[in-house]
Structures are given as C-alpha cells and as structure tokens.
Amino acid sequence: MAKAVILDASTGLDEAALASLEKKLGFALPADYRSFLSQHNGGRPVPECFSFLDDDGPYSDSLVDWFLSVGTDDPSDLLDYCSMYVEDERVPSHMLPIAHDPFGNLILLSLSGDDAGAIYFWNHENEGDADYSNLNYIGKNLDHFLERLFSFQG
C-alpha cells in the first residue's frame, strides 16, 4: 500500500523549530513524526479515510480532515490544540493531537510509555476521564497510519 499524499501543507519545520516544539511539549517527537513535520506543516491527506475497532465491536470509519500545523495563523494550530485538550486534561497528558476529523474528533500520537509512537482516535462524544477508555488504536506509528488510509467509497 502507498503512503498518503499530503496536500495544502505549509512549509516544513527546520531543525530549530522542531527542537523548540519538543522543548515546549516536554517530549521528544518520534522520528517519523519529526520527518513528517520537516516535510509538511499541516495539510490534508489523500486518501483520507481510516477504520478503527469501536468499543461495541464493529469497525467504524472516519477521515482526517486536517493535520495540525505549528507556528502558523491556521485555526488548526498544534499548540492551541495541546492547550485545549492536553492542558485541560481532556486527553492523556502524554498524547499529542496531530490531526482532526470534520466532526470534532482527534487523531492523537502517544509520546511516551510502552505505546510511544502509536496513533489513536479520540471521539469527543465519548469524552470522560483523560485515559485510554475513549481511545481507539489506529496505527503502530504515523507511517503505518498513513499507509493504511483509504479513499471513501460512498
């Protein structure tokens, strides 16, 4: 499977900007996400759809509306999302919002622990404690996630 193409991204981040971001976050970024940010700062993937196993058992689908950007005036600013979701304790403190779907849900990247680098889907309609109870696994890392995206078949 081919990795998704990222469209409409801002200029990628240089090493100084990446180091500054890591300092602000208090976490080192996984190599694949660092590489992604150095090439693409925000943007939308094509294809854009992904599946996840819902708590009830059946698979559900969503789509990546937009990858978050750093240091732009874009409303999808990564640090603004960190403030709204991580600092406000709506998602686990070691999770980094990296994208959103069109319905107000997030795609998160684990920055530490046994699952460091893993990608999760967070559904705002099931919001509760800032733990894994509202997270659905969608990829072992960013590259794996991008390779598994597919086109909507409506």
Side-chain angles (χ1 to χ4, degrees):
M1 229 182 254
K3 194 187 303 186
V5 174
I6 308 300
L7 304 177
D8 302 324
S10 299
T11 302
L13 302 179
D14 61 18
E15 185 57 38
L18 288 166
S20 175
L21 176 61
E22 288 177 324
K23 185 175 181 178
K24 287 176 186 172
L25 296 173
F27 290 99
L29 297 172
D32 61 345
Y33 187 57
R34 271 182 136 263
S35 177
F36 178 85
L37 288 175
S38 73
Q39 296 171 38
H40 316 284
N41 189 13
R44 58 185 176 80
V46 175
E48 70 281 9
C49 295
F50 61 91
S51 294
F52 58 93
L53 186 60
D54 228 343
D55 292 336
D56 300 334
Y59 275 90
S60 295
D61 295 332
S62 189
L63 56 101
V64 178
D65 185 42
W66 200 261
F67 277 98
L68 304 179
S69 60
V70 179
T72 65
D73 290 330
D74 191 304
S76 293
D77 181 79
L78 185 139
L79 292 174
D80 287 347
Y81 270 71
C82 285
S83 177
M84 288 186 292
Y85 294 96
V86 179
E87 292 173 19
D88 287 350
E89 299 180 358
R90 297 175 68 188
V91 300
S93 62
H94 67 286
M95 291 287 175
L96 179 67
I98 61 168
H100 58 76
D101 75 2
F103 313 108
N105 305 307
L106 300 176
I107 291 85
L108 302 171
L109 169 65
S110 177
L111 295 177
S112 70
D114 292 340
D115 64 346
I119 307 293
Y120 292 89
F121 177 71
W122 178 83
N123 185 336
H124 75 90
E125 292 179 12
N126 299 330
E127 187 172 353
D129 295 332
D131 59 21
Y132 281 76
S133 63
N134 184 29
L135 299 182
N136 299 93
Y137 173 86
I138 52 177
K140 63 183 176 183
N141 56 41
L142 182 63
D143 286 340
H144 180 239
F145 174 65
L146 292 173
E147 289 168 0
R148 296 178 64 221
L149 292 174
F150 60 92
S151 295
F152 178 72
Q153 302 293 320

